Structures are given as structure tokens and as C-alpha cells.
Amino acid sequence: MQDYRDHDAVGLAELVRSGQTTPEELLAAARARAAEVNPRLNAIIREVDPPAPQGPAPEGGRPFEGVPFLLKDLHQDLRGVPTSGGSRSLKDLPAAETAAVVERWVEAGLVIFGKTNTPEFGAKGITEPHAFGPARNPWNPEHTPGGSSGGSAAAVAAGVVPCAAASDGGGSIRIPASACGLFGLKTSRGLLPHGPAHGEPMGGTATDGVVSRSVRDTAAMLDVLAGPTDVSGYLGGGIPGDGFAAEVGRDPGRLRIGVTSDSAINADPDPEARAAVRRAADLLTELGHEVVEVASPVDDARLAEEFLTTWFVHCAVAVAEAREASGAGEDAFEPDTRVMAALGRATSATDYVRAVEGRHHHVRRLAAFHADHDLLLTPTTATPPPRVGAFDLPAPVALAQRVLLAARAGSVLRFTPIVDQLISENLGWVPYTQLANLTGRPAMSVPLHWTPAGLPMGVQLVGPLGSDARLLRLAAELEQAAPWWDRRPAI
């Protein structure tokens, strides 16, 4: 077991290729570790019979042959297996076809043996679905592993798998990576494919990916995933000629990096968030980069409003689609989901289009920033990982929620404390991550800081469109200068 946990995914694949171990032995080790820790973490919510590759092995073999792997239970469909999206409504509805990214993972040789916990429809930065119960953080199970890829991050941090599938529509790779001491990269818009069942989740702001313990695992996974399919809406681009894995270890050059902890959503981030950024800024300076203090390059209050407007509308669509597919009634959805969907239904088409078109304002502001700065450095989260249950509604607010939902008063909900609670819950501790989603820019969370209580807190770096390779080069440099591989939770 310890030998298994001492290797990343690239390393395990090398052991299989060299004959030092077998896929069967690795799968047995992964399942044994899951049996040991999952009862405490609730990271894996469904076991899966590993699907076999359908196509011939490429010359040189499959890059991740025999490596155990977990899917996130949101959009990452495997034909014949339910994709619940964290919802009771879809818990037992098998997927009709396999998602493009899942096909690529299978063809790469990954051994998929389970699906991981996620909040209902991925709509929160915590992972506490009513359908499966809360996922817990291996560094302290009283705290959240973040969301919405919280189950995947918890499984990786606990050593069940070296990396796991994730996705990011508002920070859902970077938030749990930060909370669990992992590396997480949200790629440039269009770099990774969607489909065939889903075109552009969250109107193009969401993308698939992984959370991992090593930078090279994420880079090698990009080589597996990057590039369009026949049904992709974009040609994509930004793929290095010799692949992303080759970028790891290359000199990123001397970068000019603007740093800020400013946030209109959380005007007073936790001192540990500021400490994480200071540590990262000092390290980057020691490595020869130029780090300068800046103000937030965008109007993040406006950005948050536009993000939530589109988020609520997409939540309404997700609920409607789930009801149509499953025949479920409204009581099959969590109260918070019903509130968000009601707010979405109460949003006019004009307001929705205005919010979507507003993204271009932030793109231009961020482009102006990147004309003078290679990267933007911020905290990944404004606070350490909250305790499980920290965002449960107070009893009076929950009662008002039920009354308004029963009265179908969606337009009234806008003016109640319920919405303030939802904003606090969704964005208060994670105000920095939505920028990269709405602008389509790549961003990563790098695990460089732990609080005195032993909880991880990452820092975020945002680059211009197509700078994924630059981010990987810098991440590898940081990993070399301040290694995090040997930092593991006690669980």
C-alpha cells in the first residue's frame, strides 16, 4: 500500500510498462485504500466495473495503462452507469452514452472503478449533497474538501488514486485542489472537448480536467484530453508541438506577476489567505520573477452578479432536464437547488443575455492587465476550508425558504435573506475563481501553504488565453522549489 501511494499516475504507468507490477495489483491496492478511508471521507459514492478500451493501442502503448482512476459524478457519463450529478432525481438513471473525455481516459488505459461525490448539479463550492451525504477533507474530516470536485480531491489527497477526474465551472477544480493540498488546472476555453450529450456546460464557462498530486500528472492528462472531437463547437488550440508533458521542467522565463487579495465579495479575507499569497510572492521573487502589488483588474462585484445570474438560469435548466429525463417531482431536489432554479426561472431573457454579453467587459479588462503582466496571483479561496455544515441555513431562513417555494414566489426570493445566504455560501469563501471561467482564461491552484491548524490553502495564478503551457512550466518550477509531494494527511 505504501509503495502504491509513493507513485503518481505517470510513475504507476511506468511500473506497469516495465513489468514491475500489473493493472490487477494496482486496482487491488486502490480498492483496498478506498475500503480503508472512504467510510470516513464519503469521497466515492458509486463503484464501477472498469470499462475496457475499444480501439487498438497506439504505438508505444497506452500512456496510463493500468492506473486506477475515478470519475466525477457530474457530466462525465459512462454508458450504462448513472450520472447522478449529486441529485436524487438522477441517482438511478443510466447514461445513454459515454462522454468524450471519458472515452479518452478509457483509451489511455486508465482503470475506472468508481465515481466521486459532488454537490447537486455542481452548484456549490462545498460537497454536501442530500443524496449521498457530505464528503470530508482527509486533512481534517470535520472540514469540507471543497467543491464541486470535492469527492475526487478527497480521494486523491487520501491516496486512493494519484489523480482523479474533475471539472470546473466556477472554480470546481481549483477550490478542492486548494482545500486538499493538490494541484489543479482549469484550462483555456475550447482546449478540451465536451459532448456528445452536452455541448457547452454552463454556456462554455465549464471544462473537464483532473486534480492531482503532481504537476506532471496533470500535464500528461492534458495530452490525453486536449483537442476537439467531431461535434466540438471550437477548433481549440494552444497545444504545444511536443505536448504538455514536455513542458514540465522547462524554464518558464522571468515573469512579471501582479498580486492582489482584493475582493468586493469578501472585503476581509482570512489572514491565512493573505499569508498564502505572501508566501507565494516571496517564493516567486526568490526564483527571479518580478512580483508587483496590483488592484483587482476587473469589477468583481459586477462579475459575481453576472456569474450568479447565469448560474441560476442554468440551474433552472438542469432541474427541468432532470425532471423530464427521470419523471421526478420537485421534492426530488434540494431546497437550495429549488431556490436557485426559481431565481433562474424568474430571470428575464434580457437580463440573462446581458449577463452573458457582460463577460466581454471582463475579458477586455483582463486582457489590458495581461498586456503588462504575464500572470495574476490571488488566493484560491478567501478562507481555509470551512467545517462541514457551516453553510446550513438557519432555521428561520429555512422555514421562509420552504414557504416561498411552496408559494412559487420566485420573483419575491430575490429580495429575501435566502439569496444573501446563497451568495455567501457560493461565493463568500471562494470569490476569486469565477474570473477565469467567465473570461475563458486558464488558471491553476498550487498547494504552497498550510495553516497552523494543518489545513491546506492554495494560491491561484491566472494567465492569458492559451497560456496553459506557461502555467505548467511555472507550476513545475514551484513544485521543485517548494515540494508538496511528501505532505500527506494523517488519515
Side-chain angles (χ1 to χ4, degrees):
M1 180 65 72
Q2 188 62 49
D3 192 44
Y4 169 73
R5 295 173 61 199
D6 282 343
H7 292 81
D8 63 1
V10 171
L12 291 178
E14 291 172 351
L15 294 180
V16 172
R17 278 193 296 273
S18 65
Q20 297 178 65
T21 190
T22 67
E24 292 77 15
E25 289 172 334
L26 294 183
L27 181 58
R31 283 177 165 160
R33 181 61 175 167
E36 181 183 0
V37 301
N38 200 55
R40 292 187 63 193
L41 300 179
N42 196 30
I44 303 168
I45 49 83
R46 189 184 303 277
E47 294 184 0
V48 171
D49 292 328
Q54 299 300 305
E59 185 178 350
R62 303 184 193 277
F64 287 103
E65 185 72 52
V67 177
F69 195 65
L70 296 165
L71 298 179
K72 180 180 178 179
D73 202 27
L74 179 69
H75 294 312
Q76 294 173 356
D77 297 338
L78 182 61
R79 186 171 182 262
V81 176
T83 300
S84 75
S87 178
R88 291 189 298 263
S89 65
L90 299 174
K91 195 173 181 179
D92 301 313
L93 186 67
E97 52 192 341
T98 298
V101 291
V102 177
E103 287 182 347
R104 292 186 176 184
W105 280 320
V106 172
E107 294 305 314
L110 290 159
V111 180
I112 297 167
F113 68 99
K115 304 193 82 174
T116 61
N117 207 349
T118 186
E120 190 165 47
F121 303 129
K124 296 180 180 179
I126 55 175
T127 301
E128 301 179 20
H130 293 186
F132 300 103
R136 296 180 179 273
N137 195 317
W139 294 91
N140 184 334
E142 296 300 314
H143 291 256
T144 182
S148 63
S149 306
S152 289
V156 173
V160 177
V161 288
C163 68
S167 59
D168 194 317
S172 291
I173 287 175
R174 290 157 287 153
I175 294 164
S178 173
C180 293
L182 305 175
F183 177 67
L185 171 68
K186 184 208 82 71
T187 56
S188 293
R189 184 177 182 179
L191 181 63
L192 306 187
H194 298 298
H198 306 282
E200 285 192 286
M202 287 295 298
T205 62
T207 185
D208 290 293
V210 297
V211 285
S212 66
R213 289 181 59 214
S214 72
V215 174
R216 71 173 186 172
D217 272 359
T218 290
M221 283 289 180
L222 287 191
D223 287 333
V224 167
L225 294 176
T229 68
D230 291 342
V231 298
S232 293
Y234 301 94
L235 181 61
I239 303 175
D242 49 0
F244 288 103
E247 296 296 321
V248 177
R250 288 179 175 168
D251 185 359
R254 187 173 188 267
L255 303 176
R256 178 175 167 83
I257 300 170
V259 57
T260 183
S261 299
D262 292 349
S263 167
I265 308 305
N266 189 328
D268 188 25
D270 191 274
E272 289 300 321
R274 297 186 185 277
V277 167
R278 284 196 303 272
R279 170 169 164 72
D282 290 344
L283 179 59
L284 288 163
T285 301
E286 291 171 12
L287 291 170
H289 303 291
E290 181 185 4
V291 181
V292 294
E293 292 279 349
V294 297
S296 176
V298 299
D299 181 349
D300 54 344
R302 174 179 169 180
L303 184 143
E305 180 181 354
E306 291 168 350
F307 173 79
L308 287 173
T309 296
T310 57
W311 189 275
F312 293 156
V313 171
H314 282 283
C315 187
V317 172
V319 168
E321 290 180 342
R323 294 191 66 180
E324 181 179 355
S326 67
E330 285 196 10
D331 59 354
F333 305 93
E334 297 174 20
D336 284 357
T337 300
R338 294 172 61 192
V339 168
M340 286 186 274
L343 290 166
R345 289 190 294 268
T347 301
S348 70
T350 301
D351 287 342
Y352 174 75
V353 171
R354 184 178 289 117
V356 172
E357 291 298 315
R359 296 173 186 172
H360 187 58
H361 169 79
H362 309 298
V363 168
R364 293 188 66 179
R365 291 283 295 270
L366 194 54
F369 170 83
H370 280 135
D372 296 320
H373 305 82
D374 296 296
L375 301 173
L376 172 67
L377 169 65
T378 74
T380 304
T381 65
T383 74
R387 286 184 173 272
V388 171
F391 297 120
D392 290 348
L393 286 176
V397 178
L399 176 61
Q401 181 187 71
R402 291 194 296 270
V403 170
L404 289 168
L405 286 171
R408 300 183 181 276
S411 58
V412 177
L413 282 166
R414 293 173 177 268
F415 308 105
T416 68
I418 295 169
V419 175
D420 293 337
Q421 178 76 16
L422 282 172
I423 292 172
S424 173
E425 178 178 322
N426 280 281
L427 300 184
W429 80 286
V430 290
Y432 305 103
T433 53
Q434 297 79 37
L435 170 63
N437 296 90
L438 292 195
T439 61
R441 271 51 191 166
M444 64 182 182
S445 181
V446 186
L448 296 179
H449 183 71
W450 271 255
T451 72
L455 290 170
M457 289 191 72
V459 294
Q460 176 182 238
L461 288 136
V462 183
L465 192 66
S467 64
D468 306 72
R470 177 190 296 166
L471 288 173
L472 287 169
R473 291 195 295 269
L474 180 61
E477 183 180 54
L478 292 169
E479 183 181 37
Q480 180 70 26
W484 57 78
W485 177 265
D486 290 330
R487 298 197 70 152
R488 300 182 186 180
I491 190 169

